Amino acid sequence: MSRPLYRGFSGGGGGKDRCADEGRHYDPKEPSENGIGAGGCGTPARGRKRHLAAAAARIGVLVLAAAALVGSVAWAGSLYAGRGAAAAMAAASAHRGYRRLQEQLVTDLLDIGALAGGGLRSREAEACAAEYENHVPCYYNGSDAVDVSDLGGGVVISYERQCSREGRATCLVAPPRAYRTPVRWPSSKEFIWKDNVRISGHEFSSGSLFKRMMVEEDQISFPSDAHMSDGVEDYAHQIAEMIGLRNEFNFNEAGVRTVLDIECGFGTMGAHLFERDLLTMCIANYEASGSQVQITLERGIPALIGSFASKQLPYPYLSFDMVHCARCNIEWDKNDGIFLVEVDRLLRPGGYFVWTSSLHTHRALRDKENQKKWATIRDLANNLCWEILSQQEETIVWKKTNKRDCYSSRKSEPVLCARSHDPELPYYKPLNPCIAGTRSKRWIPIEHRTTWPSQARLNSTELDIHGVNSEVFGEDTSTWDSMVRNYWSLLSPLIFSDHPKRPGDEEPHPPFNMLRNVLDMNAHFGGFNAALLKSGKSVWVMNVVPINAPNYLPLIFDRGFIGVQHDWCEAFPTYPRTYDMVHADGFLSLEKRQKRRCSTLDIFLEVDRILRPEGWIIIRDTAPLIEAARSVAAQLRWDARILDLDIASDEKLLVCQKPFLKK
């Protein structure tokens, strides 16, 4: 095994140490051939040598490809010479098989060069300018943004997701100058480092965030009673009682596992419910500063940028057991109630919509405008076949119907969707004003579903709904159980140690885990997620299903996990430095089979953006693709090592660590 990768140690990808050894520094003004900065330590003469080497390598690939084809022709001629008819037929058959192997060799050689997206070039990427510290492509960003302080307190700007090739950064997004290694879970529930997130003084002067967190000299703390006036524990207990439960520890028994928290503040509700075996996904608009999503992820709670504007959220039909909105800025009465229709699309039958707002209090309803808004929302909910279970002070709990005949008995809009409408295609489609109805085989009330944690192990009947063979699913489960054990064996104590120790540090007090936020780029059935939980690791996983892969995202949600569908040629809807580890199994092979709309370098630059300094990348794929990926990793200054998984397998493991890039 290669020399180990330690946190804080810069190895194969560390250009900085090499420059120090050679007495050189990289020039950020020197452009690179592939559009990213040089970031290397070579002189112009050395750069020309690299270009010559790259050209020679490409010529070598072409020569090898040509030699392979010529060799196959010559070999075929030797087979045919002096042979009879039967022998000639056998030789022809052998020739066709051998020719296919040669053609595959040529294809693989050319694919490796294309996959690298310039990987033969040894130039390293340069760091982005300071204004890119919180750069989120596809959304309104800092360098061209207006000063939100000029707009006055309480103003909410909704940024619609709009992606283009021009909006992507082609450099490495460096952390702020005062950035520190994030506080580890579970301590991060209580406090985070202030300089790791973007906070301006305006948020505090307006008082809009003050009750949700306390800012000290170098940290932000989150008292458990800061989210609600009576404390988050009392609030969760109140919701449980309104549903008809004894307390919040009984949510799982009622079929509640996954929760969508709209404009979650800073994830205090999700942090509390996590201790009750509920998995909460926070979703909020892009915010230039004081971001709910950025701060929630810094605390170790699932979150994603998203908004109720004109497009559906990237979640499947019937994804969540509960949708929660506490004083969120959604105007549910607008646009013929289309935002409530979107909530209905996401809620499972029998699921709950919890809305806390001052709009429907006795005092607020003295105003005629508020009366009109409340009447509109109440009638819309009724037309969606939602039943009001309880109303206490500012909080209302609706229950989505679990009766199939309710929709046909309605006499008013919203209408049922046409049979041609496919509700399982959620990838940022325009909001649809119709109700998907009960046609889906997944339309099963939460009371009738297997409860957590047994929910993660789908039975054969549940798998049939998704068209998955139980033997295939069982084999996938066994494979990932074994793979996670192998990961621990191969990489511990480098990545997965429960008690990591950095040089000079005191022994940490258990329980302590250096991994919390994990992203799986090609989640398939969610097997990696299941194996991590089964092994007792205190992590959560963002299961990503690429748009060019089979869409098993509904199955992942039915297992009690969370995830999102995503096009990896676009930016992921999150802030920089939000994940401890990115995992990709078979992702390179998946991209190779598709018509490439972007290079591996483009995708890896995005991975680098969302990964925390000293974070880890684990890529499992075929040996040729892993070798090509390692050359791209070197451009990004990642410390990279290739590990053999099995002598009998052609797959290898690429383990990389992102360095702590200092400005």
Side-chain angles (χ1 to χ4, degrees):
M1 181 174 174
S2 304
R3 68 174 178 81
L5 294 168
Y6 294 99
R7 292 179 61 84
F9 182 88
S10 181
K16 181 176 179 182
D17 292 338
R18 293 199 305 275
C19 290
D21 293 340
E22 298 176 15
R24 293 185 174 93
H25 304 278
Y26 86 88
D27 183 1
K29 297 179 181 178
E30 180 185 355
S32 74
E33 184 178 332
N34 62 357
I36 62 175
C41 38
T43 61
R46 179 170 297 183
R48 285 193 294 271
K49 292 180 181 179
R50 286 170 178 160
H51 290 310
L52 291 174
R58 294 190 192 95
I59 293 172
V61 169
L62 294 176
V63 170
L64 184 57
L69 291 176
V70 172
S72 66
V73 172
W75 179 75
S78 67
L79 283 176
Y80 281 110
R83 304 271 181 167
M89 291 178 62
S93 176
H95 168 253
R96 284 193 297 271
Y98 185 75
R99 183 64 178 270
R100 282 195 295 270
L101 290 175
Q102 295 283 45
E103 289 172 350
Q104 184 61 47
L105 171 63
V106 174
T107 301
D108 285 345
L109 289 171
L110 296 177
D111 278 341
I112 289 171
L115 178 72
L120 291 173
R121 307 180 185 124
S122 57
R123 287 174 173 252
E124 293 178 341
E126 70 175 18
C128 300
E131 58 262 30
Y132 281 87
E133 285 176 356
N134 291 282
H135 181 62
V136 183
C138 303
Y139 294 92
Y140 201 76
N141 274 277
S143 59
D144 58 350
V146 297
D147 186 352
V148 293
S149 62
D150 295 337
L151 301 177
V155 175
V156 177
I157 304 175
S158 178
Y159 301 109
E160 193 74 83
R161 179 180 173 88
Q162 296 179 345
C163 294
S164 66
R165 294 281 296 165
E166 290 74 21
R168 300 190 68 162
T170 55
C171 49
L172 299 176
V173 178
R177 190 175 299 276
Y179 184 87
R180 300 167 65 175
T181 300
V183 179
R184 298 302 178 185
W185 183 269
S187 299
S188 59
K189 286 192 301 181
E190 307 302 327
F191 75 96
I192 60 174
W193 302 125
K194 184 180 69 173
D195 291 323
N196 285 15
V197 296
R198 186 174 182 179
I199 297 289
S200 70
H202 174 72
E203 289 94 345
F204 306 104
S205 63
S206 69
S208 59
L209 306 180
F210 181 74
K211 294 182 179 178
R212 302 182 187 179
M213 62 185 183
M214 296 175 60
V215 180
E216 301 174 19
E217 183 177 351
D218 63 346
Q219 66 186 44
I220 302 172
S221 59
F222 305 89
S224 60
D225 60 349
H227 187 64
M228 296 294 166
S229 58
D230 295 327
V232 66
E233 185 171 355
D234 291 339
Y235 179 66
H237 186 83
Q238 176 190 0
I239 293 173
E241 287 186 334
M242 294 172 73
I243 290 175
L245 306 176
R246 178 178 299 177
N247 54 50
E248 68 267 29
F249 289 96
N250 300 113
F251 275 129
N252 286 158
E253 297 175 16
V256 178
R257 161 64 179 171
T258 52
V259 179
L260 180 67
D261 196 358
I262 303 170
E263 296 185 14
C264 62
F266 298 121
T268 300
M269 183 72 169
H272 177 75
L273 294 180
F274 185 82
E275 298 173 356
R276 275 62 174 168
D277 279 336
L278 270 65
L279 192 56
T280 302
M281 168 78 81
C282 166
I283 191 164
N285 287 331
Y286 167 81
E287 296 163 291
S289 65
S291 166
Q292 300 172 74
V293 170
Q294 185 184 39
I295 294 175
T296 298
L297 284 164
E298 186 72 13
R299 297 182 68 187
I301 308 299
L304 198 73
I305 299 174
S307 61
F308 282 81
S310 64
K311 298 177 181 178
Q312 292 180 349
L313 298 175
Y315 307 117
Y317 177 48
L318 309 176
S319 296
F320 295 95
D321 306 309
M322 178 184 289
V323 175
H324 175 252
C325 164
R327 300 178 188 142
C328 61
N329 292 286
I330 310 298
E331 296 186 276
W332 301 110
D333 59 309
K334 300 297 184 182
N335 302 318
D336 298 322
I338 198 168
F339 299 144
L340 281 179
V341 175
E342 173 68 354
V343 171
D344 184 82
R345 183 184 73 85
L346 298 174
L347 268 181
R348 291 192 173 107
Y352 305 98
F353 178 52
V354 181
W355 183 39
T356 296
S357 170
S358 61
L359 176 68
H360 48 74
T361 61
H362 291 297
R363 183 174 182 177
L365 291 177
R366 296 173 187 170
D367 181 81
K368 290 185 177 180
E369 186 64 25
N370 287 341
Q371 290 178 20
K372 183 178 178 181
K373 289 181 178 181
W374 167 236
T376 300
I377 294 171
R378 183 186 57 208
D379 292 344
L380 283 168
N382 186 60
N383 293 337
L384 289 170
C385 290
W386 293 2
E387 174 191 1
I388 292 183
L389 287 185
S390 181
Q391 178 175 354
Q392 295 182 15
E393 301 173 348
E394 295 185 351
T395 302
I396 297 179
V397 176
W398 277 281
K399 182 180 176 69
K400 179 176 176 176
T401 186
N402 55 12
K403 300 176 182 177
R404 290 181 174 271
D405 59 353
C406 179
Y407 297 110
S408 59
S409 63
R410 297 176 312 117
K411 297 181 180 179
S412 56
E413 295 183 343
V415 299
L416 289 174
C417 297
R419 290 191 172 274
S420 59
H421 174 72
D422 185 0
E424 301 289 7
L425 296 176
Y427 188 68
Y428 297 113
K429 301 295 181 183
L431 286 172
N432 201 315
C434 63
I435 304 174
T438 64
R439 294 195 306 271
S440 172
K441 294 180 180 179
R442 296 179 58 238
W443 204 93
I444 302 172
I446 61 174
E447 302 93 328
H448 301 159
R449 289 181 175 270
T450 305
T451 58
W452 183 263
S454 301
Q455 178 180 2
R457 303 182 294 275
L458 299 179
N459 58 44
S460 58
T461 303
E462 294 165 331
L463 290 171
D464 286 343
I465 294 175
H466 300 277
V468 176
N469 183 278
S470 57
E471 293 182 1
V472 172
F473 184 79
E475 183 178 345
D476 181 80
T477 300
S478 299
T479 297
W480 279 113
D481 288 345
S482 175
M483 281 303 304
V484 167
R485 286 194 298 270
N486 289 341
Y487 285 173
W488 254 255
S489 176
L490 287 170
L491 307 174
S492 182
L494 307 180
I495 299 179
F496 295 113
S497 173
D498 286 335
H499 309 288
K501 180 178 180 297
R502 299 177 65 179
D505 287 353
E506 296 180 359
E507 292 289 347
H509 298 287
F512 193 86
N513 199 321
M514 60 195 297
L515 288 182
R516 172 62 181 171
N517 303 354
V518 176
L519 185 145
D520 194 353
M521 295 180 69
N522 186 26
H524 199 51
F525 296 150
F528 181 56
N529 189 160
L532 285 172
L533 295 182
K534 187 175 181 180
S535 66
K537 301 303 172 184
S538 185
V539 303
W540 67 270
V541 179
M542 180 69 76
N543 294 283
V544 181
V545 174
I547 61 168
N548 52 353
N551 185 13
Y552 289 114
L553 192 56
L555 181 149
I556 289 171
F557 271 94
D558 286 354
R559 298 187 73 176
F561 307 147
I562 56 174
V564 67
Q565 196 176 26
H566 182 63
D567 180 354
W568 280 110
C569 284
E570 297 179 357
F572 194 73
T574 191
Y575 290 81
R577 305 172 299 279
T578 47
Y579 286 92
D580 299 304
M581 188 181 81
V582 174
H583 175 262
D585 174 56
F587 176 77
L588 300 177
S589 294
L590 177 68
E591 288 296 309
K592 175 187 170 185
R593 291 193 295 267
Q594 305 295 321
K595 293 181 179 179
R596 296 187 186 89
R597 295 164 293 119
C598 57
S599 69
T600 303
L601 179 60
D602 292 328
I603 297 173
F604 279 21
L605 278 168
E606 176 61 10
V607 170
D608 186 90
R609 184 185 71 87
I610 68 178
L611 195 66
R612 288 170 168 170
E614 298 186 338
W616 299 89
I617 308 98
I618 297 181
I619 303 173
R620 178 189 175 199
D621 224 301
T622 59
L625 298 181
I626 288 294
E627 292 287 353
R630 179 166 63 172
S631 67
V632 182
Q635 289 183 267
L636 305 184
R637 315 185 195 186
W638 294 351
D639 297 328
R641 294 292 179 273
I642 294 179
L643 303 176
D644 291 318
L645 292 173
D646 191 337
I647 297 177
S649 173
D650 67 339
E651 291 185 335
K652 290 183 181 293
L653 202 66
L654 178 63
V655 181
C656 305
Q657 186 181 30
K658 175 180 174 178
F660 202 132
L661 186 63
K662 297 288 187 180
K663 292 185 178 179

